[in-house]
Amino acid sequence: MIAPHFDLIYLYSWAVVLLLFFLSGAFVLFAAYFRLDQMEEHFIASYVVGINRRILGNGPFGRMRRVREIGTLTGRLTHVQMLDLHAVMEAETFPEHLKKWLRIPGYLFQFGVTGAALLLLWLGIGWICVTVSRPANDLQLLGIAGLIACLFLGLMAAFAKVWVSFFRLAEIESLLKKSYFVARNQRVLGNGAYGRYCRLSHISHMLLMDDDFLSKSDPFAMDEVAGFPSHLRRLVVIPARILAYSFLGYLVIHLGGKAFGVFT
């Protein structure tokens, strides 16, 4: 009697996640047709906003993409946007009455992604438990051990990043005082759990960037990045790499095992 109830809860949970994505898209669609022109008028010197207006067009999906690009400029940046410093600076003074049309769908989308990730984690753990309970050959056991190792390493790396973001982030950011983006992230992303995690993730990207990209996006931080202490560099970079490699390893083992008939 317990298992069917869990299956029903699981299905309802996916329904809630899909509803969050739908509501997020609905807000973006409304903003795309009734607020986008006002949003883009704010970006006078931005190359990214101007090129998106020409490339993405005025169709519904194009206008929604343009809204999402502006929303990203007011939150966690992408690598391409880092190359347009004028757009990032203009986004810091974005009007509050327009920003709410970016924040609400952003929050809904973040909740949806978080929920989907937790449900996929639940599905993966449940699948591993069911597979382990059945008779298995040596190759299957090896694959299951690899999946468990990737899952464990990924969770440990995520917890490590959260710990660093709460207890070592101030020390890390104090060594990058000349970086515009580090100071900008402090102002824009705030001190919440998500904001601190994003600030740490941005620093990990800075430490992994090549000099050519850094010279174009954040040139004043190059000397500080080059002289960044090795023990703190490892503290920032290693968990980020482990998290990425463990996720990739889990996908490769799971999909490879399915494709070659190891997991039946």
Side-chain angles (χ1 to χ4, degrees), residues 124-190:
I125 293 175
W127 180 84
I128 290 174
C129 293
V130 171
T131 306
V132 168
S133 65
R134 297 172 180 172
N137 56 39
D138 292 342
L139 188 59
Q140 288 175 329
L141 290 175
L142 183 62
I144 293 170
L147 291 175
I148 294 174
C150 290
L151 191 62
F152 178 77
L153 287 173
L155 289 174
M156 292 298 295
F159 286 134
K161 289 191 68 174
V162 171
W163 183 87
V164 173
S165 69
F166 274 97
F167 297 102
R168 303 298 296 272
L169 183 59
E171 178 185 2
I172 292 168
E173 288 180 334
S174 67
L175 299 173
L176 298 169
K177 292 181 179 179
K178 295 181 180 179
S179 169
Y180 166 76
F181 288 104
V182 170
R184 176 262 178 197
N185 289 340
Q186 290 174 340
R187 294 190 298 269
V188 174
L189 297 177

